[in-house]
Amino acid sequence: MITKPFVCVLLGLCGFGAAAQTRAPACVTITDGWARLPPGALPMTAGYARLRNDCRTEVVVVAAGSRAFGEVSLHETTQVQGVSRMREVARLPIPAGATVELKPGGLHLMLMQPALTLAEGTRVPLRLSLEDGTKVDGTLQVRRQAPGQP
């Protein structure tokens, strides 16, 4: 019968379309990712990276996650009247052609409840979720200090 092969092709195309939507657009990248090695057995640390949007339109990061941590969230540190304050960021717009840097003292990832013992040099996965439903994958390398520091 001709319907059986047709249904198989149709299901295959539907599956391909769903898989393509969950993949990161090639125009959004995570580079220079690293996570600070926490002192002792602290149940949290911070992660940093450069997020580049080479898409033609703005993208918006709405969530972050990692198999290596029970909870990952985006935060921003600011100075208010000489006092350092940290707040969670629900949406991070990245304009077309722009790079946003997650760095100490500014925007960063809070990585909580590690699922493994973190050691210097360990690479952990990171996944950002964009407002349009796509995912952007990257890695963070565990380091004692920021890259370029002795």
Side-chain angles (χ1 to χ4, degrees):
M1 274 192 131
I2 197 162
T3 46
K4 192 172 189 177
F6 176 74
V7 169
C8 290
V9 168
L10 185 60
L11 288 174
L13 288 173
C14 290
F16 175 76
Q21 190 167 31
T22 61
R23 279 193 214 122
C27 54
V28 177
T29 55
I30 300 170
T31 58
D32 303 323
W34 68 284
R36 189 173 305 280
L37 180 66
L42 280 179
M44 69 179 73
T45 190
Y48 313 99
R50 285 187 177 87
L51 312 179
R52 176 76 186 161
N53 176 12
D54 284 320
C55 299
R56 293 182 182 171
T57 60
E58 175 182 87
V59 297
V60 180
V61 178
V62 294
S66 174
R67 293 185 315 272
F69 295 92
E71 186 179 338
V72 178
S73 56
L74 186 62
H75 282 74
E76 182 175 30
T77 302
T78 57
Q79 294 289 326
V80 178
Q81 297 179 356
V83 177
S84 181
R85 299 190 189 270
M86 187 171 53
R87 68 173 178 87
E88 189 167 357
V89 175
R91 296 177 79 251
L92 176 61
I94 306 174
T99 299
V100 171
E101 187 172 0
L102 306 183
K103 61 184 178 181
L107 287 167
H108 60 280
L109 297 165
M110 286 301 303
L111 308 167
M112 296 169 272
Q113 305 160 2
L116 53 101
T117 301
L118 298 176
E120 190 165 15
T122 302
R123 297 180 77 69
V124 295
L126 173 66
R127 174 170 277 180
L128 300 178
S129 298
L130 304 183
E131 195 169 56
D132 67 1
T134 58
K135 311 294 183 199
V136 179
D137 291 326
T139 59
L140 303 174
Q141 182 175 11
V142 178
R143 306 176 62 99
R144 288 189 191 279
Q145 297 184 23
Q149 292 187 350

